[in-house]
């Protein structure tokens, strides 16, 4: 019954976006030609417009807007927009002056929105103009060479051409591959703590699986709805949730949950609601809370963008088919939740029976909840708060589990040894915080034990889109642009694993390195994300001679080996 309600809610939420025009109907572009000119006709759907500053006409990569009869824009607020249908004439004489092997590439770039607030991703239309016996032939390049597409564009193309069941199975597989990434890891202690907190009710494998299923379905629904919203509303959807108020409330919730684990109080619904729920089902109590926790965890605890997610978002934005794309994201979320379902199904076997051991396990998860609270607030207060916070919690945890108590039996001695190790590591974390370390896995790195190669990585920062464009255009070396945010788990994984690899650091010495920090949402950061068709970090973009090398665009984590393979092609 619960599952049917969730599925119905999911379908209802997606239909809320059903009035969005297909992108081909929102922007209808056609061509006509005579002996002198190529005419490009733009026809907008109802209540559709485009931004003037995103509208570009390029001939063999060179912007030619100033040479054409551009439409007159209208001022609306802070933006210049084009509201009315219009036509452009591209003289074949101009094309003839820019031919390469009797061919020219004409590219039209634009981004538009509907007046109801829904915006489409940046769009492009490409034409190949060929000269044969002093005559020009124009053909639309609707099917692009897959060798010139980024990973997410390839995935979007596969979605467009594959059947429903095959696409769903593919995205479920993508989810399985993503299940062991930083996107999912933070959810393991959250779900485990929920299971442990209910263990006093003679929890069995069936009940544990049901709790996990509700949690995973809610998580999958959150990914689907957030994905649809990101595609339709633009960018920075996950980043918008990483503000001080949302993170503080969620961190406070973890502290409250931890306090209940320590036995300070029990978190229960009011008895009136408990009795009402128990009349329906003995096992349904608390499922609503588990659902809310799963939904919120996906959005707040582990914001993550990977190539499959970006590909589905690109498909939704380009096709307007929110239900199909959202269902694929829902399937991906289910795949990501498989390890969590395994934890729930096995809970009846791996958890000890109620008693002293269970009290110890509940306390352990209480400390894990406190660590989760520090991890969230570190996105606001920085690395010093993170390392010192972990260290302080670790000291209390070590003392709680008997680091300095006498141990009689062998099991108690083993427990004491582990507690002492936790205590020593916690002291290192506290010291590392004051030494300026940034990595909890390397707390003494503040003593400047970093390698020479790593020290050579010098990222330049930019404040706005114009500054970034100028840097890319004027660079005398290939450019790598790293889109980063403090709240992005995969961004930190790239920084700690990929960029710290000595071979990678050596190769990146041949690049101009640029970092766009989008930790804080704002007009400047939103404009940069919009320009490059990105939703949220992590993303690595590569440029050469001012042009992006799209096949090398990387969304999500990439290992040092695969990274080296990519940049060796530049």
């Amino acid at each position: 019954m619960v599952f049917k309600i969730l599925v119905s809610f999911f379908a209802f939420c997606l239909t809320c976006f059903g009035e969005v025009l297909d992108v081909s109907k929102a922007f209808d572009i056609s061509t006509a030609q005579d002996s002198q000119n190529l005419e490009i006709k733009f026809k907008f759907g109802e209540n559709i417009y485009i931004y003037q500053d995103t509208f570009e006409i390029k001939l063999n990569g060179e912007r030619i807007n100033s040479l054409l009869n551009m439409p007159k824009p209208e001022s609306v607020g802070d933006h210049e927009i084009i509201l009315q249908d219009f036509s452009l004439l591209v003289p074949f004489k101009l094309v003839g002056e820019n031919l390469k092997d009797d061919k020219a590439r004409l590219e039209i770039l634009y981004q538009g929105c509907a007046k109801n607030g829904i915006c489409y991703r940046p769009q492009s239309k490409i034409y190949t103009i060929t000269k044969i016996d002093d005559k020009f032939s124009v053909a639309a390049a609707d099917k692009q060479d897959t060798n010139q597409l980024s990973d997410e564009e390839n995935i979007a193309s596969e979605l467009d051409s594959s059947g429903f069941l095959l696409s769903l199975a593919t995205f479920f597989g993508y989810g399985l591959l993503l299940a062991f990434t930083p996107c999912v890891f933070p959810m393991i202690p959250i779900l485990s703590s929920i299971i442990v907190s209910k263990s006093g009710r003679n929890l069995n494998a069936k009940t544990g699986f049901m709790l996990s299923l509700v949690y995973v379905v809610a998580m999958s629904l959150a990914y689907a709805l957030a994905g649809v919203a990101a595609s339709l509303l633009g960018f920075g959807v996950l980043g918008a949730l990483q503000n001080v108020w949302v993170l503080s409330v969620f961190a406070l919730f973890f502290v409250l949950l931890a306090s209940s684990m320590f036995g300070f109080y029990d978190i229960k619904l009011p008895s009136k609601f408990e009795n009402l729920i128990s009349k329906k089902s003995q096992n349904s109590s608390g499922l609503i809370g588990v659902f809310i926790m799963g939904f919120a965890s996906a959005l707040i605890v582990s914001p993550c963008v990977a190539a499959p997610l970006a590909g589905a978002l690109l498909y939704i934005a380009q096709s307007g088919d929110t239900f199909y794309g959202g269902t694929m994201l829902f399937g991906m979320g289910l795949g990501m939740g498989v390890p969590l379902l395994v934890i729930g199904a096995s809970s009846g076997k791996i958890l000890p029976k109620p008693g002293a051991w269970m009290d110890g396990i509940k306390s352990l998860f209480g400390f894990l909840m406190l660590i989760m609270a520090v991890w969230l607030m570190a996105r606001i207060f920085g690395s010093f708060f993170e390392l010192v916070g972990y260290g302080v919690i670790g000291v209390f945890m070590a003392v709680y589990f008997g680091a300095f108590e006498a141990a009689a039996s062998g099991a108690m001695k083993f427990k004491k040894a582990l507690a002492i190790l936790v205590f020593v590591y916690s002291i290192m974390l506290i010291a590392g915080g004051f030494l300026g370390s940034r990595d909890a896995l390397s707390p003494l790195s503040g003593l400047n034990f970093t390698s020479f190669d790593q020290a050579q990585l010098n990222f330049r920062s930019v404040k706005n889109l114009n500054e970034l464009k100028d840097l890319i255009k004027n660079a005398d070396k290939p450019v790598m642009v790293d889109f980063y945010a403090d709240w992005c788990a995969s961004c930190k994984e790239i920084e700690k694993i990929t960029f710290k690899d000595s071979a990678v650091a050596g190769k990146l010495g041949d690049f101009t390195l640029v970092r766009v920090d989008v930790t804080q949402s704002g007009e400047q950061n939103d404009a940069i994300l919009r320009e490059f068709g990105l939703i949220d970090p992590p993303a690595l973009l590569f440029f050469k001679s001012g042009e992006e090398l799209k096949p090398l665009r990387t969304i999500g984590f990439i290992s040092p080996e695969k990274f080296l393979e990519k940049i060796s092609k530049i």
Side-chain angles (χ1 to χ4, degrees):
M1 178 65 182
V2 174
F3 183 74
K4 289 182 179 179
I5 293 174
L6 296 181
V7 171
S8 300
F9 177 70
F10 171 66
F12 170 76
C13 291
L14 287 179
T15 57
C16 291
F17 299 103
E19 297 300 318
V20 180
L21 279 179
D22 183 293
V23 68
S24 61
K25 296 178 180 177
F27 311 101
D28 183 10
I29 301 178
S30 60
T31 62
Q33 68 179 89
D34 55 27
S35 60
Q36 302 295 322
N37 301 290
L38 168 65
E39 183 181 13
I40 305 173
K41 302 177 181 178
F42 287 77
K43 186 177 181 181
F44 297 145
E46 187 176 0
N47 295 320
I48 298 292
Y49 61 88
I50 62 175
Y51 292 104
Q52 185 201 29
D53 60 355
T54 68
F55 184 56
E56 284 189 293
I57 307 291
K58 291 184 176 181
L59 188 59
N60 288 338
E62 294 294 329
R63 179 185 171 103
I64 59 171
N65 290 44
S66 60
L67 305 178
L68 304 178
N69 56 324
M70 300 297 293
K72 186 178 181 180
E74 297 183 24
S75 296
V76 177
D78 296 330
H79 298 284
E80 297 285 322
I81 64 174
I82 302 172
L83 284 165
Q84 305 296 329
D85 298 348
F86 65 93
S87 294
L88 281 179
L89 292 179
V90 179
F92 284 131
K93 181 180 179 181
L94 176 62
V95 175
E97 295 171 354
N98 292 273
L99 290 176
K100 295 181 180 179
D101 297 326
D102 290 329
K103 289 186 178 180
R105 173 188 171 96
L106 186 71
E107 189 174 7
I108 305 169
L109 306 170
Y110 56 94
Q111 188 202 12
C113 300
K115 290 183 179 179
N116 63 6
I118 300 298
C119 287
Y120 296 84
R121 277 197 173 200
Q123 305 292 320
S124 66
K125 189 77 171 178
I126 300 172
Y127 296 90
T128 300
I129 305 176
T130 306
K131 184 178 182 182
I132 303 175
D133 297 332
D134 294 329
K135 293 184 179 179
F136 290 89
S137 173
V138 180
D142 293 325
K143 298 296 181 180
Q144 299 185 56
D145 183 358
T146 56
N147 292 325
Q148 300 302 316
L149 299 180
S150 61
D151 289 341
E152 66 270 23
E153 288 173 328
N154 275 317
I155 292 172
S157 178
E158 290 173 7
L159 260 181
D160 193 34
S161 58
S162 301
F164 180 84
L165 293 179
L166 178 59
S167 293
L168 190 60
T170 300
F171 269 80
F172 183 83
Y174 285 143
L176 285 174
L177 294 175
L178 294 171
F180 300 98
T181 66
C183 300
V184 178
F185 278 162
M187 298 186 188
I188 294 176
I190 297 174
L191 178 61
S192 299
S193 67
I194 292 172
I195 294 172
V196 169
S197 68
K198 297 181 178 295
S199 59
R201 303 179 184 180
N202 297 318
L203 180 69
N204 54 38
K206 180 180 178 181
T207 305
F209 179 79
M210 176 56 68
L211 292 171
S212 300
L213 180 61
V214 172
Y215 185 93
V216 169
V217 169
M219 179 188 82
S220 304
L221 178 61
Y223 275 118
L225 294 180
V228 170
S231 290
L232 298 178
L233 301 178
F235 32 76
V237 172
L238 298 178
L241 295 172
Q242 307 304 308
N243 64 70
V244 61
W245 298 109
V246 174
L247 294 177
S248 297
V249 169
F250 213 62
L252 177 61
F253 183 83
F254 280 135
V255 172
L256 295 175
L257 184 59
S259 299
S260 72
M261 292 287 185
F262 294 131
F264 296 149
Y265 51 80
D266 290 326
I267 297 178
K268 289 184 177 181
L269 288 172
S271 57
K272 180 179 179 180
F273 291 102
E274 285 275 8
N275 294 333
L276 180 63
I277 293 175
S278 62
K279 290 179 182 179
K280 300 293 182 181
S281 170
Q282 293 297 320
N283 294 322
S284 64
S285 179
L287 290 185
I288 295 176
V290 175
F291 177 86
I292 294 172
M293 197 65 179
F295 192 94
S297 296
L299 297 177
I300 300 169
V301 175
S302 58
C304 221
V305 176
L309 176 61
L313 302 185
L314 182 60
Y315 171 82
I316 297 169
Q318 292 180 343
S319 69
D321 194 340
T322 55
F323 182 82
Y324 184 76
T327 303
M328 297 304 112
L329 291 174
F330 186 79
M332 187 185 76
L334 291 178
M336 294 172 69
V338 166
L340 304 178
L341 293 175
V342 172
I343 290 173
S346 60
S347 59
K349 298 179 181 179
I350 65 174
L351 292 179
K353 298 299 180 182
W357 272 100
M358 180 56 66
D359 292 337
I361 288 180
K362 291 182 72 172
S363 298
L364 174 63
F365 278 103
F367 284 113
L368 288 177
M369 290 298 98
L370 291 177
I371 289 174
M372 292 294 295
V374 170
W375 179 66
L376 284 176
M377 296 308 294
R379 301 176 187 180
I380 301 170
F381 297 116
S383 300
F384 173 80
F385 176 86
E386 182 177 21
L387 268 67
V388 173
Y390 290 160
V392 170
I393 293 171
V395 168
F396 276 89
M397 181 177 175
V399 173
Y400 184 92
F401 285 104
F404 303 105
E405 295 177 2
S409 65
M412 292 300 294
K413 290 179 180 179
F414 182 75
K415 176 183 174 183
K416 179 177 179 178
L418 288 177
I420 291 175
L421 287 175
V422 171
F423 179 80
V424 172
Y425 182 64
S426 299
I427 295 299
M428 292 171 62
L429 285 169
I430 295 173
F434 283 96
L435 289 171
S437 300
R438 297 180 58 193
D439 187 356
L441 298 179
S442 182
L444 299 182
S445 59
L447 294 174
N448 294 321
F449 291 147
T450 54
S451 68
F452 174 78
D453 285 333
Q454 174 64 15
Q456 297 307 304
L457 289 186
N458 182 24
F459 284 89
R460 300 175 61 176
S461 61
V462 294
K463 297 179 180 180
N464 54 58
L465 180 58
N466 289 333
E467 188 177 334
L468 176 59
K469 284 185 173 181
D470 289 342
L471 197 155
I472 292 172
K473 182 179 179 180
N474 298 320
D476 55 0
K477 296 190 291 186
V479 178
M480 184 188 78
V481 181
D482 174 23
F483 285 83
Y484 170 91
D486 289 341
W487 45 260
C488 169
S490 291
C491 297
K492 294 186 176 181
E493 192 182 25
I494 292 172
E495 187 176 39
K496 293 176 182 178
I497 298 176
T498 308
F499 292 160
K500 279 191 175 181
D501 182 85
S502 58
V504 169
K507 289 289 186 182
L508 286 179
D510 298 328
F511 287 76
T512 296
L513 304 179
V514 184
R515 173 160 288 168
V516 180
D517 190 335
V518 293
T519 299
Q520 302 295 330
S521 59
E523 185 176 342
Q524 299 292 348
N525 286 340
D526 290 349
I528 297 175
L529 289 171
R530 184 194 299 122
E531 173 71 16
F532 296 102
L534 298 172
I535 298 295
D536 273 306
L540 300 174
L541 278 58
F542 299 89
F543 298 82
K544 189 174 183 180
S545 301
E547 293 292 327
E548 183 186 355
L549 305 174
K550 273 205 168 185
L552 303 185
R553 176 181 285 206
T554 301
I555 305 294
F557 174 74
I558 182 171
S559 67
E561 296 76 18
K562 290 185 178 179
F563 183 84
L564 287 170
E565 182 181 341
K566 278 202 172 189
I567 63 177
S568 66
K569 299 174 182 177
I570 302 177

